[in-house]
């Protein structure tokens, strides 16, 4: 193994506001400890060592942030600022992220474990997300309608208000950008709650936001667990919108908790996405993207291509190549420059993935490769699972139906186009899907039949700030990114103007 390029832990944490070695959250314009002094130790998923200690926010901390946000929105200057001024701040934030590119990517690797080459990509993508929405803020958002004279009707978009934004641990900084950028561009105020497992890059982002000089309480970062802090944000009558990315079960709980004041809810949830490969596909491209689709970020991706649905005649050749290539993937510490696939985010999640692997064997699927932990000392300390492939599966198996969220590919087969589509749509999810074929008409026919919000032809995973992201069925509700993401942070107001100012005469004088 090559020498690790891990910077010293203390150097990485230097950019964060700390008190007595505890990284602080950002509430009411100040970096604060938890109301009860509670803390949490974060664990480096590659080494099992403590990477940082952070404040563990409470319900009281969440409430303090909510009240500060409410006041900032109702009487602060932010929602009345000109879009140009909001754009300027967002452009500055994008530039600051670029300036802190190395710190942010290394901090993300320390916290989440993913390889530096992935975290570098995430940081660039996050900066570009802020830049995209900075540009969009000043573009036209209204509409006018020709209605019967003497009226003129037009529509303006206005901010929703206080937005609670609950994000997961698989793309901590990037998910923060996806949530904050459109919301701020549209003039909302935000309370961001990172996952309790991976809050470090959000805390560095808070210091950048403070440095740039965003008005007070336009962005607050509250730490703490989902069931305490996340739940309180979802329940609070003072919060106008919740935007959530995470598991489907949690999404359901958030939707229920939000009913009290019927707040707007956007949910980006799980998936069990089909990657359909026809026998006429470009073989090397299909192999390459099958691997990338499932093993990028160790399979901890909502849109992962976790079901490979392959035409029967190609099955043996495709699977044997995938198994051969999966066996060569270099699994290791995210700071090792040779690492291609990092650890699972936590020991608890590793055990959940392992339980699914055991279940797959019990259900009678064939383990074609992987299935175990990384051998050796690193594998003992960190949460590593080797790239895994199951063949000989049935549609009703739980490993085929449920989201595993790890490096586990299940292979299914089909005889013809109709069966491929039926299998592809046969789960409760509908987030993403892909088709590989050299027959472009067939590719389009199949894609149009997929019940999924994000689809690819002859590729897997590319994601663009410009295009909408979100799912059909139980993969979510609403869309993020692009103009759709901006719209989801706005209320639509109809304005009717009487161009002939005179009494209507409806009632007699
Ligand atoms: P969760 O969905 O529970 O966590 C995502 C975010 O929601 C975190 O910030 C979490 O906080 C918060 N949260 C948890 N419970 C509540 C609640 N009751 N009210 C409000 N917020 C809450 O994901 P898990 O980490 O438990 O993973 C479970 C499964 O979800 C995974 O195995 C995977 O299948 C799926 N998942 C999907 C993701 C996606 O991108 N679609 C991302 C992550 C997970 P905290 O972590 O601090 O408790």
């Amino acid at each position: 193994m090559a020498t690790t390029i891990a910077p010293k832990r203390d150097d990485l944490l230097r950019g964060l506001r700390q008190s007595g070695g505890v990284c602080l959250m950002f509430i009411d314009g100040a970096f604060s400890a938890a109301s009860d002094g509670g803390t949490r130790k974060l664990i480096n998923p590659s080494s099992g060592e403590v990477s940082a200690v952070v404040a563990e926010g409470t319900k009281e901390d969440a409430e303090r942030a909510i009240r500060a946000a409410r006041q900032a929105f109702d009487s602060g200057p932010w929602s009345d600022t000109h879009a140009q001024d909001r754009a300027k701040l967002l452009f500055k934030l994008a530039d600051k992220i670029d300036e802190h590119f190395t710190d942010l990517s290394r901090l993300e690797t320390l916290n989440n474990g993913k390889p530096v080459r992935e975290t570098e990509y995430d940081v660039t993508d996050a900066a570009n997300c802020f830049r995209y929405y900075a540009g969009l803020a000043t573009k036209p958002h209204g509409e006018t309608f020709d209605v019967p004279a003497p009226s003129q009707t037009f529509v303006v978009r206005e901010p929703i208000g206080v937005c609670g934004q609950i994000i997961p641990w698989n793309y901590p900084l990037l998910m923060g950008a996806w949530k904050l950028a459109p919301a701020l561009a549209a003039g909302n105020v935000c309370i961001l709650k990172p996952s309790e497992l991976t809050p470090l890059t959000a805390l560095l982002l808070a210091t950048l936001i403070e440095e740039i000089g965003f008005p007070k309480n336009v962005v607050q970062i509250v730490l703490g667990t989902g069931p305490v802090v996340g739940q309180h944000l979802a329940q609070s009558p003072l919060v106008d919108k919740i935007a959530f990315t995470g598991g489907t079960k949690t999404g359901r709980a958030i939707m229920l908790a939000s009913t009290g004041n019927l707040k707007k809810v956007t949910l980006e949830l799980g998936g069990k996405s089909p990657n359909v490969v026809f026998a006429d596909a470009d073989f090397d491209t299909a192999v390459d993207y099958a691997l990338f689709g499932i093993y990028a970020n160790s399979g901890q991706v909502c849109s992962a291509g976790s079901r490979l649905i392959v035409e029967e005649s190609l099955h043996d050749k495709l699977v044997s190549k995938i198994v051969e290539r999966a066996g060569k993937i270099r699994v290791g510490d995210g700071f090792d420059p040779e690492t291609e696939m990092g650890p699972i985010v936590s020991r608890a999640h590793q055990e959940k993935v392992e339980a699914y692997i055991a279940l797959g064997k019990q259900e009678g699927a064939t383990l074609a490769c992987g299935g175990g932990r990384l051998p050796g000392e690193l594998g003992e300390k960190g949460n590593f699972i080797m790239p895994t492939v199951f063949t000989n599966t049935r549609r009703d198996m739980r490993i085929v139906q449920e989201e595993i969220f790890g490096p586990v590919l299940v292979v299914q087969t089909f005889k013809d186009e109709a069966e491929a589509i039926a299998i592809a749509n046969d789960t409760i999810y509908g987030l993403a899907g892909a088709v590989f074929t050299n027959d472009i008409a067939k590719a389009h026919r199949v894609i149009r039949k997929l019940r999924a919000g994000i689809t690819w032809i002859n590729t897997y995973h590319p994601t663009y700030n410009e295009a909408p992201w979100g799912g059909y069925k139980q993969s979510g509700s609403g869309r993020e990114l692009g103009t759709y993401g901006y719209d989801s942070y706005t209320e639509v107001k109809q304005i009717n103007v009487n161009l002939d100012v005179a009494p209507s005469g409806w009632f007699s004088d």
Side-chain angles (χ1 to χ4, degrees):
M1 171 166 310
T3 7
T4 176
I5 52 163
K8 285 203 181 75
R9 190 195 72 112
D10 289 348
D11 289 344
L12 281 176
L13 300 185
R14 198 154 290 145
L16 305 179
R17 298 302 163 80
Q18 297 183 53
S19 167
V22 176
C23 304
L24 304 172
M25 54 195 161
F26 188 51
I27 301 181
D28 200 10
F31 284 86
S32 329
S35 63
D36 64 358
T39 60
R40 166 179 293 266
K41 285 180 182 155
L42 304 182
I43 305 297
N44 176 344
S46 289
S47 66
E49 288 163 6
V50 174
S51 54
V53 180
V54 296
E56 176 93 320
T58 60
K59 191 173 159 185
E60 288 67 37
D61 292 316
E63 184 62 24
R64 194 156 70 87
I66 291 168
R67 290 190 180 276
R70 190 73 263 166
Q71 217 248 341
F73 185 77
D74 293 342
S75 44
W78 183 244
S79 46
D80 290 333
T81 46
H82 195 279
Q84 273 182 4
D85 299 324
R86 298 199 296 274
K88 250 187 227 164
L89 288 168
L90 291 171
F91 276 125
K92 274 191 195 168
L93 185 53
D95 291 345
K96 277 272 173 201
I97 291 172
D98 284 346
E99 267 173 46
H100 290 79
F101 173 79
T102 306
D103 289 345
L104 282 163
S105 72
R106 293 338 184 239
L107 203 57
E108 197 84 305
T109 294
L110 177 77
N111 197 181
N112 164 286
K114 60 167 90 171
V116 166
R117 72 170 177 172
E118 282 188 42
T119 55
E120 286 185 344
Y121 191 89
D122 291 353
V123 175
T124 304
D125 221 12
N128 287 339
C129 184
F130 281 107
R131 227 164 251 133
Y132 171 78
Y133 282 107
L136 199 63
T138 55
K139 303 302 173 285
H141 300 291
E143 280 179 290
T144 59
F145 298 96
D146 281 332
V147 295
S151 279
Q152 173 69 66
T153 294
F154 59 102
V155 154
V156 292
R157 289 191 174 270
E158 296 183 342
I160 293 177
V162 174
C163 299
Q165 304 177 312
I166 302 173
I167 56 170
W169 39 260
N170 55 346
Y171 290 87
L173 179 70
L174 190 58
M175 288 301 105
W178 283 24
K179 298 278 183 285
L180 291 173
L184 295 172
N188 297 278
V189 304
C190 301
I191 303 170
L192 183 75
K193 194 208 90 65
S195 165
E196 68 202 38
L197 299 176
T198 54
L200 293 182
T201 42
L203 295 181
L204 185 49
L205 195 67
T207 67
L208 306 183
I209 284 168
E210 196 203 28
E211 260 174 62
I212 288 167
F214 273 76
K216 192 176 169 193
N217 293 331
V218 164
V219 181
Q220 300 177 83
I221 313 278
V222 185
L223 306 186
T225 67
V228 175
V229 169
Q231 177 84 6
H232 191 62
L233 287 172
Q235 275 174 340
S236 170
L238 302 180
V239 173
D240 302 301
K241 165 166 175 145
I242 286 283
F244 169 74
T245 298
T248 294
K249 200 170 147 217
T250 311
R252 224 173 265 132
I254 284 175
M255 201 169 223
L256 273 174
S258 301
T259 54
N261 66 335
L262 293 179
K263 54 175 68 68
K264 312 281 180 285
V265 179
T266 312
L267 302 173
E268 202 274 88
L269 308 175
K272 191 75 181 178
S273 298
N275 182 6
V276 179
V277 181
F278 284 91
D280 63 3
D282 183 279
F283 183 74
D284 292 337
T285 305
V287 170
D288 186 74
Y289 280 106
L291 294 164
F292 186 56
I294 184 63
Y295 300 126
N297 200 13
S298 310
Q300 301 167 117
V301 184
C302 51
S303 53
S306 49
R307 288 186 299 139
L308 183 69
I309 302 172
V310 54
E311 191 161 356
E312 246 173 35
S313 58
L314 185 65
H315 175 272
D316 292 356
K317 183 178 169 196
L318 187 68
V319 168
S320 87
K321 193 68 186 174
I322 286 172
V323 165
E324 179 200 322
R325 293 268 311 267
K328 290 185 191 158
I329 291 175
R330 292 190 294 264
V331 179
D333 186 329
F335 282 114
D336 181 335
E338 289 191 354
T339 291
E340 294 176 315
M341 197 180 96
I344 301 296
V345 73
S346 67
R347 186 48 62 96
H349 190 53
Q350 179 190 26
E351 286 167 1
K352 184 181 157 197
V353 175
E354 286 173 337
Y356 270 112
I357 293 171
L359 177 69
K361 292 184 207 162
Q362 251 175 46
E363 287 182 310
T366 305
L367 184 66
C369 72
R373 295 186 175 185
L374 177 71
E377 198 189 336
L378 190 62
E380 274 164 35
K381 290 185 185 159
N383 316 321
F384 299 94
I385 293 185
M386 301 306 284
T388 298
V389 176
F390 274 113
T391 56
N392 292 317
T393 61
R394 287 190 323 273
R395 276 162 81 163
D396 64 347
M397 286 177 174
R398 283 182 56 200
I399 58 160
V400 173
Q401 292 295 327
E402 296 177 17
E403 185 178 46
I404 298 175
F405 224 63
V408 181
L409 181 67
V410 298
V411 182
Q412 301 177 268
T413 56
F414 66 88
K415 288 192 177 60
D416 55 28
E417 198 176 309
E419 194 186 14
I421 293 162
I423 294 173
N425 288 330
D426 184 25
T427 72
I428 61 163
Y429 297 109
L431 188 59
V435 57
F436 285 78
T437 171
N438 275 332
D439 177 340
I440 195 67
K442 181 162 67 179
H444 279 272
R445 282 197 305 273
V446 174
I447 283 293
R448 290 301 303 267
K449 291 282 181 193
L450 285 190
R451 303 275 302 145
I454 307 144
T455 62
W456 298 284
I457 295 175
N458 291 329
T459 183
Y460 206 100
H461 268 333
T463 304
Y464 305 102
N465 289 317
E466 295 79 0
W469 183 271
Y472 286 24
K473 301 197 280 183
Q474 294 189 38
S475 286
S477 162
R479 292 292 180 274
E480 299 194 281
L481 297 184
T483 52
Y484 297 81
Y486 179 93
D487 290 351
S488 81
Y489 281 99
T490 61
E491 294 276 22
V492 172
K493 179 177 283 175
Q494 175 191 142
I495 301 176
N496 299 288
V497 187
N498 184 357
L499 300 178
D500 182 7
V501 183
S504 76
W506 184 264
F507 294 109
S508 51
D509 202 352

